[in-house]
Amino acid sequence: ACSEPCSRSHPCGHQPLHSCHSWPECPPCSVLTSTFCFGAHELRKAVPCHMGEFSCGRACGRALPCGHKCNRLCHADACNAAGPCTQACTVPRQSVCDHPCGAPCHPDRPCPTNQPCQTKVQVTCECGRRVVTRTCSENSSEYNRIATSLLAAKMADVRAGKSVDTSDVALAASRMSLKTLECNDECKLQERNLRLAIGLQIVNPDLSSKLNPRYSESMKQWAKKDRRFCEMVHDKLT
């Protein structure tokens, strides 16, 4: 070996940056290059030639035959090299709700119809004070119970000889599809406080069921003068 630069050719085509040597193979090429990651998400500069492509750590994002996007981290091999897609199916259900199917990807089979919908939904009571998160299937069961109760009430009116319009059963039930909780005592107290606030023209009232309405001094004096009248007004408002 001499002190002259190495004259061997490299597969990459770059000129060697090292000196003449007697080793069977040249050291890795250290020429700095600009290189894309495996998925072409990112271009990095000053990357040593011998390092080649790299993983940027982002989600691959390539389109899969099933319609999903590959969610593996940036990779060099084929997207399906790790196995078939297992992402949740996004096809809307055709039964009770229109939430996504949710079953593991099944491009060659129809969506299963016997699996309850596990999508989380927020349901409230009629006044909206109570809010609970439950699965769509659980709420659907409660919704069906309410619709059945409404229909049963209509049928009872029919047996009693009353004129009944059943067209509003489906409409009423649909309005309650996400209002399947029952109002409790606190809801009733809040509604009472609201009626009092409206009747007494209280601006920005605190409707908390744990608080009693606040009366002005003039209202208290009026109650002392004419207690019976004030009690009558209170009873009408509550």
Side-chain angles (χ1 to χ4, degrees):
C2 63
S3 59
E4 294 294 320
C6 177
S7 60
R8 298 180 186 180
S9 60
H10 285 187
C12 61
H14 293 134
Q15 291 294 325
L17 299 180
H18 50 268
S19 300
C20 178
H21 58 87
S22 59
W23 305 317
E25 296 182 359
C26 287
C29 178
S30 58
V31 175
L32 299 181
T33 62
S34 296
T35 307
F36 276 103
C37 64
F38 295 125
H41 309 115
E42 178 183 339
L43 175 65
R44 290 184 184 176
K45 298 181 179 180
V47 177
C49 175
H50 70 272
M51 292 185 62
E53 293 179 314
F54 59 93
S55 174
C56 66
R58 301 177 186 175
C60 172
R62 293 192 183 101
L64 299 175
C66 60
H68 289 118
K69 291 185 177 181
C70 178
N71 58 3
R72 295 175 58 195
L73 297 183
C74 183
H75 56 90
D77 55 356
C79 290
N80 59 1
C85 176
T86 58
Q87 298 180 55
C89 176
T90 58
V91 176
R93 291 171 174 262
Q94 301 297 322
S95 53
V96 178
C97 65
D98 56 359
H99 292 130
C101 165
C105 186
H106 50 90
D108 300 326
R109 303 187 309 277
C111 292
T113 58
N114 58 347
Q115 294 184 0
C117 179
Q118 298 300 316
T119 300
K120 298 291 185 180
V121 296
Q122 277 196 339
V123 297
T124 68
C125 59
E126 187 62 30
C127 71
R129 193 192 68 82
R130 298 181 62 202
V131 180
V132 172
T133 299
R134 57 170 54 147
T135 64
C136 176
S137 59
E138 292 172 342
N139 189 63
S140 178
S141 298
E142 186 64 14
Y143 161 83
N144 290 335
R145 184 190 68 79
I146 293 174
T148 301
S149 298
L150 289 172
L151 183 58
K154 291 288 185 179
M155 296 305 296
D157 289 341
V158 170
R159 288 193 294 270
K162 299 179 181 179
S163 177
V164 173
D165 180 9
T166 58
S167 63
D168 62 339
V169 174
L171 178 61
S174 65
R175 287 175 178 169
M176 298 178 66
S177 60
L178 291 177
K179 292 186 176 182
T180 52
L181 297 179
E182 293 184 1
C183 286
N184 57 17
D185 291 340
E186 289 192 8
C187 295
K188 296 175 182 177
L189 286 173
Q190 182 169 296
E191 178 65 21
R192 162 190 174 273
N193 290 348
L194 176 61
R195 290 198 301 269
L196 282 173
I198 294 174
L200 300 175
Q201 299 182 351
I202 300 176
V203 179
N204 297 325
D206 186 345
L207 301 178
S208 172
S209 60
K210 298 180 181 179
L211 298 176
N212 291 321
R214 295 187 295 271
Y215 300 104
S216 64
E217 288 300 322
S218 60
M219 184 64 67
K220 293 177 182 178
Q221 293 299 324
W222 191 2
K224 291 179 180 179
K225 294 178 181 179
D226 195 341
R227 179 176 178 178
R228 181 173 297 179
F229 174 75
C230 291
E231 287 179 347
M232 183 270 293
V233 173
H234 181 275
D235 292 341
K236 289 291 184 181
L237 292 174
T238 57

